Amino acid sequence: MKARTLCPSQCFLGESPMWNAERNSCFWVDIDGGILYEYNWSSKKTRNWKFDGKLSLAIQDNKNELILALNTRIIKFGLDSEKVTPITDIDPPGSGNRCNDGACDIRGRLWIGTMHLQHKQNAGALYMVDHNLNVHKKISNTSISNGITWSRDNKRMFYIDSPAKVVQSYHYNEETAEIIFEKNIIEIPNELGSPDGMALDEEGMLWIAHWGGFGVYRWNPKSGQLLDKIEVPVPQVSSCAFAGPDLDHLIITTARENFSEEEARKYPDSGNIFIAKTAVKGVQPYKCSL
C-alpha cells in the first residue's frame, strides 16, 4: 500500500492531523511555522491561519472551534470568528519546554505531553487537564511525548515516548482518569525508525507513524505483531489520522526538520500531507469538552 500526496503544504514539522466530520474537512499543523491548515474534502481547497509560536496540537471542541496547544499554553480558537480564548498553561514560561502531541479521552479531558525545546532527555511529562482546568501530571520524565489513544473498550491507554521505541499500555479508569502502567506492548526495531503519532482502527489495531521509517505501520496491541504498512516516500513520517466521511482514508503528516541540502533534494516531498485508502475503517477520536 502506497500513500499519495494530498496537499503539498511543505511543512517544516507537520503534525496533529484530525478529521472534522461536521465541516467535512481535515486539519493539521506545522509546529515550527505556527500554521494551522484546513483541507476541505469536497472542494479540495486549503486555507490556513498563522500563530505566533510553536503550534503542536489541534483537537476538535465543536463544529467551529478547536483546542490548540501553542508553546506551553492551551487555547480555544474559533474557526469562523478567529477569536482566541486562553484556557490554561501546561508548563510555566521559561521552563524550556513546549507542548507536543495530545488527545482527549472519552470524558473529553485533554491529555497532552511536553518536551524540551533542545530535546533534553527526561525533561518532559504527560499531563491531563480536567473539566475544572486543573492540570495533573500523569507520567514524569518523558523525552518526546507523542501518540496517545485508548482501546475500544476504554480500559487501556496506549502511549508513546518516541526515543524509547516502544508503545506502552496503561490500565485506565474512565471515571477517575487514573492510569497504572501495565507493560510495553510493541517494540519498534531500530531499522523501522521511531514511533511517533498513532491512530486506532475499528478492529482495535494501532496505525503508527514511524519517524525515520518511511511509512505508517499497523500493529496489533495484543500480540505486538506487525500487520501492515503504508509506504510514504519521505523518511520523517510524524503522525496519522483516519479521515473522510467513512473514515476509510488515512491522512499522514510528514516533516523536513533538520534536513541537509542533500536530503532536501533527495526527498522533495517531505513536509507534504499524504493520503492512503485503507481496507479497514478508523475510529473517530473523542472531542474535547474543556
Side-chain angles (χ1 to χ4, degrees):
M1 197 180 335
K2 294 185 178 181
R4 61 177 176 84
T5 298
L6 175 69
C7 177
S9 54
Q10 288 286 286
C11 294
F12 186 76
L13 182 49
E15 258 287 3
S16 194
M18 60 156 279
W19 171 250
N20 185 315
E22 292 88 349
R23 292 175 68 94
N24 197 42
S25 62
C26 49
F27 292 82
W28 66 92
V29 303
D30 182 355
I31 294 180
D32 286 0
I35 302 172
L36 171 69
Y37 291 90
E38 179 181 16
Y39 174 88
N40 185 277
W41 202 258
S42 300
S43 70
K44 296 178 170 52
K45 292 182 178 179
T46 305
R47 61 188 297 206
N48 65 74
W49 298 264
K50 181 75 169 67
F51 295 82
D52 184 16
K54 293 185 181 293
L55 181 66
S56 65
L57 181 69
I59 292 180
Q60 187 176 355
D61 180 49
N62 56 46
K63 177 181 178 181
N64 293 315
E65 289 186 319
L66 300 181
I67 302 297
L68 305 179
L70 186 63
N71 297 324
T72 59
R73 296 182 295 133
I74 306 300
I75 62 174
K76 183 176 290 191
F77 177 66
L79 292 165
D80 294 333
S81 68
E82 299 190 351
K83 179 182 177 182
V84 172
T85 305
I87 294 179
T88 191
D89 289 330
I90 299 298
D91 267 354
S95 66
N97 289 345
R98 68 165 173 84
C99 292
N100 202 41
D101 206 350
C104 283
D105 64 18
I106 190 172
R107 298 292 182 96
R109 296 169 293 219
L110 176 65
W111 295 69
I112 186 163
T114 59
M115 60 175 285
H116 194 265
L117 289 165
Q118 304 302 321
H119 292 196
K120 181 179 177 182
Q121 294 294 298
N122 303 319
L126 178 68
Y127 297 90
M128 185 272 288
V129 183
D130 66 24
H131 295 115
N132 295 318
L133 307 185
N134 297 312
V135 180
H136 307 264
K137 183 180 288 188
K138 307 299 285 188
I139 304 175
S140 300
N141 303 318
T142 63
S143 295
I144 304 179
S145 188
N146 266 310
I148 310 168
T149 192
W150 287 264
S151 59
R152 293 300 308 272
D153 61 8
N154 281 295
K155 292 184 178 180
R156 284 173 173 81
M157 185 186 83
F158 304 128
Y159 172 67
I160 291 171
D161 182 9
S162 291
K165 297 200 174 199
V166 298
V167 181
Q168 299 175 338
S169 175
Y170 289 80
H171 293 289
Y172 165 75
N173 186 307
E174 174 187 329
E175 184 175 346
T176 65
E178 180 185 17
I179 56 172
I180 300 173
F181 178 75
E182 180 184 21
K183 61 183 178 179
N184 295 332
I185 55 171
I186 297 168
E187 297 185 1
I188 310 299
N190 287 332
E191 63 270 20
L192 298 186
S194 299
D196 203 318
M198 65 179 166
L200 184 75
D201 69 28
E202 63 180 4
E203 295 179 356
M205 303 297 107
L206 299 175
W207 295 76
I208 302 176
H210 285 220
W211 184 274
F214 290 88
V216 175
Y217 296 70
R218 188 183 189 226
W219 294 87
N220 185 325
K222 293 183 178 179
S223 67
Q225 180 184 3
L226 176 59
L227 304 175
D228 203 353
K229 177 189 177 183
I230 297 174
E231 295 181 22
V232 182
V234 300
Q236 295 180 342
V237 184
S238 56
S239 194
C240 58
F242 283 95
D246 296 321
L247 293 179
D248 59 352
H249 290 76
L250 203 69
I251 53 172
I252 303 162
T253 53
T254 67
R256 49 192 173 93
E257 184 182 46
N258 298 325
F259 265 12
S260 65
E261 291 184 8
E262 181 182 355
E263 288 171 321
R265 288 192 299 269
K266 188 175 182 180
Y267 306 112
D269 293 330
S270 292
N272 291 345
I273 307 307
F274 293 85
I275 188 170
K277 180 76 164 58
T278 54
V280 61
K281 294 182 180 181
V283 175
Q284 180 71 4
Y286 302 117
K287 296 179 183 179
C288 213
S289 58
L290 297 184

